[in-house]
């Protein structure tokens, strides 16, 4: 056992000589891993406006930067510190450096890096790219995501493994696939456009007719967007062949109607909707018969409403994947998630929702009632899009636009759906 003690001593000496000090006051642990312990060393540094650019944009560096407005007396400080230190213990050995930026003090730096005021966020700077992490603040989830960051913004499909990776992402995320001549200017422009969407959208390309046929591309220069839960792809304009044109097209069309909530995209989806956006939350346990029927119905709803992408947003949640949150969500919205599928128009900040009456659909025999089920849910969504069903608390205080009396009666009853 002497060699183990010597190795441990050598590790400590190495860390100290590298300028990494002990963090005596912080107690952290890797939950569920008895042989994995926090060694107590502080591996994070504070960045300011003076040293930020020369540090994170230095050549051949990989940096993780936590932008936060957490003060030293904040009760959340230790929680964030543990998350960073445990992640850093694993990833500094793999070439990453960890930093923090106090956005309360560094106003200009916050604006430079496009961080919203009061927002806590994590940016990864690697090979000249900036990638935002939107997942849960859990070391295991974050480290796994960090290890999976691709080396290049575009994956060139030239074997069955690459093709399988592309196909396995169906319904998981927005994918862009293009057909280009190898080494062409258009491919280079496509790659540069992809840099701005790393961590958010997956970009793929093919450079031979063989692989183009396998992914459904017919001509050189063709670029498609595949959005989750939508059958038909979107086609980029044939004139789009520059970085700016690709970026503009992607930015305009990147919002799908329905996305599934995951540990990796949690804070990208679990947020307040934009001003004109209608956010619908769907709790669907896909392991149950009712859940599978509801999921299939929502797939059709998403596909049929693709023209409302950017206005209508359906967040699909499988409760089995978030067991610790079920009670929180049930208390937040006053629903019984374990009873069966639930869908509702929600406001996350206000913790309120208007929930669809599930007795209007028959999920016991979904094939027989396919049309009537679709019509019931689609009618409810149409009322949301028209504003007949709304979470706006000020509706009763503001004068309503002129409308026939029957419509006004119907509005009130529909809001109770």
């Amino acid at each position: 056992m002497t060699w183990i003690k010597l190795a441990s001593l050598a590790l400590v000496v190495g860390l100290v000589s590298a300028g990494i000090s002990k963090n005596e006051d912080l107690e952290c642990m890797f939950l569920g891993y008895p042989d994995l312990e926090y060694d107590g060393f502080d591996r994070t540094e504070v960045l300011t406006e003076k040293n930020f650019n020369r540090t994170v944009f230095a050549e051949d560096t990989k940096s993780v930067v936590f932008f936060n407005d957490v003060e030293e007396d904040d009760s959340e400080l230790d929680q964030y510190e543990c998350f960073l230190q445990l992640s850093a213990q694993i990833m500094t050995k793999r070439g990453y450096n960890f930093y923090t930026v106090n956005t309360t003090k560094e106003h200009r730096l916050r604006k430079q890096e496009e961080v919203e005021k009061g927002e806590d966020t994590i940016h990864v700077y690697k090979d000249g790219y900036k990638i935002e992490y939107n997942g849960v603040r859990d070391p295991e989830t974050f480290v796994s995501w960090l290890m999976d960051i691709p080396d290049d913004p575009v994956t060139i499909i030239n074997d069955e493994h690459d093709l399988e990776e592309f196909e396995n992402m169906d319904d998981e995320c927005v994918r862009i696939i293009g057909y280009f001549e190898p080494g062409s200017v258009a491919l280079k422009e496509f790659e540069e456009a992809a840099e701005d969407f790393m961590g958010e959208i997956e970009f793929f390309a093919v450079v031979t007719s063989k692989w183009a046929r396998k992914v459904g591309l017919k001509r050189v220069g063709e670029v498609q967007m595949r959005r989750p839960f939508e059958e038909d792809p979107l086609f980029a304009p044939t004139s789009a062949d520059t970085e700016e044109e690709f970026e503009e097209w992607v930015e305009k069309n990147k919002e799908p109607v329905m996305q599934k909530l995951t540990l990796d995209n949690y804070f990208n989806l679990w947020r307040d909707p934009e001003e004109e956006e209608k956010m619908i939350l769907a709790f669907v346990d896909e392991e149950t018969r009712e859940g599978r029927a509801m999921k299939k119905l929502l797939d059709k709803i998403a596909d049929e409403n693709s023209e409302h992408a950017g206005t209508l947003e359906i967040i699909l949640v499988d409760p089995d994947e978030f067991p610790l949150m079920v009670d929180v969500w049930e208390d937040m919205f006053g629903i019984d998630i374990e009873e069966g599928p639930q869908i509702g128009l929600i406001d996350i900040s206000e913790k309120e929702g208007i929930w669809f009456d599930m007795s209007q659909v028959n999920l016991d025999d979904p094939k027989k009632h396919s049309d009537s089920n679709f019509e019931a849910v689609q009618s409810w969504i149409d009322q949301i899009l028209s504003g007949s069903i709304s979470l706006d608390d000020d509706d009763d205080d503001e004068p309503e636009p002129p409308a026939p009396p029957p419509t006004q009666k119907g509005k009130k009853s529909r809001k109770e759906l």
Side-chain angles (χ1 to χ4, degrees):
M1 298 297 289
T2 303
W3 68 272
I4 296 179
K5 293 180 180 178
L6 290 173
S8 300
L9 179 60
L11 174 63
V12 171
V13 171
L15 290 170
V16 172
S17 63
I20 300 174
S21 60
K22 271 280 189 178
N23 197 336
E24 303 290 352
D25 298 328
L26 191 65
E27 295 184 5
C28 303
M29 64 181 296
F30 292 93
L31 295 175
Y33 296 95
D35 297 323
L36 185 60
E37 298 179 352
Y38 174 49
D39 59 15
F41 284 93
D42 182 2
R43 294 176 172 82
T44 64
E45 296 179 40
V46 176
L47 291 180
T48 65
E49 184 183 356
K50 292 182 179 179
N51 63 0
F52 184 88
N53 287 352
R54 71 170 180 264
T55 301
V56 303
F57 296 122
E59 191 174 350
D60 297 327
T61 60
K62 296 187 289 187
S63 305
V64 174
V65 182
F66 178 43
F67 295 88
N68 70 91
D69 64 350
V70 182
E71 298 295 341
E72 291 185 4
D73 59 349
D74 197 310
S75 59
E76 295 180 335
L77 182 62
D78 281 358
Q79 181 181 346
Y80 284 131
E81 184 75 2
C82 282
F83 163 71
L84 282 176
Q85 295 295 349
L86 295 176
S87 300
Q89 180 173 321
I90 304 299
M91 296 308 294
T92 49
K93 298 175 184 177
R94 291 159 177 83
Y96 281 90
N97 299 308
F98 281 68
Y99 305 98
T100 63
V101 172
N102 187 326
T103 55
T104 304
K105 299 176 181 178
E106 302 295 333
H107 301 286
R108 285 197 289 188
L109 187 52
R110 174 181 65 79
K111 292 179 180 179
Q112 172 189 306
E113 296 307 302
E114 301 177 319
V115 176
E116 295 292 330
K117 186 177 181 180
E119 177 186 22
D120 297 329
T121 189
I122 297 169
H123 290 178
V124 176
Y125 300 83
K126 177 183 177 184
D127 300 326
Y129 313 132
K130 180 175 76 174
I131 309 166
E132 184 174 4
Y133 176 66
N134 292 301
V136 297
R137 308 286 162 74
D138 163 64
E140 185 170 16
T141 303
F142 177 63
V143 166
S144 176
W145 175 85
L146 202 55
M147 287 183 173
D148 286 341
I149 292 177
D151 293 329
D152 300 303
V154 177
T155 299
I156 306 295
I157 297 176
N158 55 24
D159 60 34
E160 290 295 337
H161 175 76
D162 295 332
L163 180 63
E164 184 179 353
E165 179 186 356
F166 172 74
E167 292 175 340
N168 285 345
M169 288 182 180
D170 188 29
D171 293 341
E172 287 186 2
C173 61
V174 176
R175 297 167 296 162
I176 311 289
I177 178 76
Y179 181 14
F180 302 95
E181 294 285 356
S184 63
V185 173
L187 176 58
K188 179 65 175 176
E189 295 288 316
F190 184 73
E191 291 172 336
E192 290 181 354
E195 293 176 10
D196 288 338
F197 299 97
M198 285 189 72
E200 181 183 7
I201 296 173
E202 298 292 336
F203 280 73
F204 294 84
V206 291
V207 293
T208 65
S209 58
K210 171 187 173 181
W211 295 106
R213 285 194 301 272
K214 286 180 179 286
V215 297
L217 298 178
K218 297 179 180 178
R219 60 173 181 79
V220 173
E222 183 177 347
V223 177
Q224 295 182 3
M225 176 183 290
R226 312 277 178 89
R227 297 192 303 207
F229 308 107
E230 297 177 24
E231 290 187 10
D232 298 325
L234 298 177
F235 293 83
T238 55
S239 60
D241 59 4
T242 68
E243 176 185 354
E244 292 76 15
E245 289 169 336
F246 283 132
E247 285 180 2
E248 183 180 353
W249 175 71
V250 172
E251 193 66 42
K252 181 180 177 181
N253 297 283
K254 67 179 182 178
E255 297 292 339
V257 171
M258 187 162 74
Q259 297 183 79
K260 186 172 183 179
L261 190 70
T262 67
L263 294 174
D264 288 343
N265 69 13
Y266 192 93
F267 289 105
N268 191 37
L269 301 186
W270 196 263
R271 52 163 177 74
D272 290 327
E274 301 295 332
E275 189 173 343
E276 297 300 322
E277 200 172 37
K278 312 293 185 182
M279 183 177 287
I280 293 174
L281 192 58
F283 292 105
V284 178
D285 184 350
E286 297 182 48
E287 290 189 1
T288 68
R289 186 183 176 201
E290 283 188 335
R292 288 190 295 272
M294 191 67 202
K295 167 63 167 50
K296 190 173 182 180
L297 175 57
L298 289 172
D299 286 350
K300 185 176 181 181
I301 289 288
D303 190 49
E304 293 291 330
N305 286 273
S306 59
E307 72 272 19
H308 298 302
T311 301
L312 176 66
E313 180 177 11
I314 302 173
I315 301 176
L316 185 67
V317 182
D318 188 337
D320 285 349
E321 297 179 13
F322 297 91
L324 301 183
M325 290 299 296
V326 170
D327 290 348
V328 175
W329 287 329
E330 288 185 336
D331 291 341
M332 182 182 296
F333 297 117
I335 56 174
D336 188 344
I337 295 173
E338 294 179 286
E339 184 183 65
Q342 303 279 355
I343 58 172
L345 175 68
I346 66 160
D347 185 310
I348 290 176
S349 291
E350 298 298 327
K351 300 181 180 180
E352 63 177 2
I354 299 173
W355 296 87
F356 177 75
D357 180 2
M358 292 301 297
S359 67
Q360 294 192 49
V361 295
N362 187 319
L363 300 178
D364 293 325
D365 193 351
K367 287 187 177 180
K368 180 180 178 180
H369 298 276
S370 173
D371 291 342
S372 61
N373 286 348
F374 176 81
E375 289 172 6
V377 177
Q378 184 62 57
S379 175
W380 180 72
I381 287 176
D382 287 341
Q383 293 173 72
I384 290 172
L385 292 172
S386 69
S388 297
I389 296 176
S390 173
L391 285 165
D392 190 351
D393 291 334
D394 297 327
D395 277 352
D396 296 331
D397 300 328
E398 298 177 2
E400 295 182 353
T407 304
Q408 290 300 313
K409 278 186 179 179
K411 178 178 177 180
K412 198 166 186 179
S413 63
R414 282 197 296 266
K415 189 167 181 177
E416 295 170 0
L417 292 178

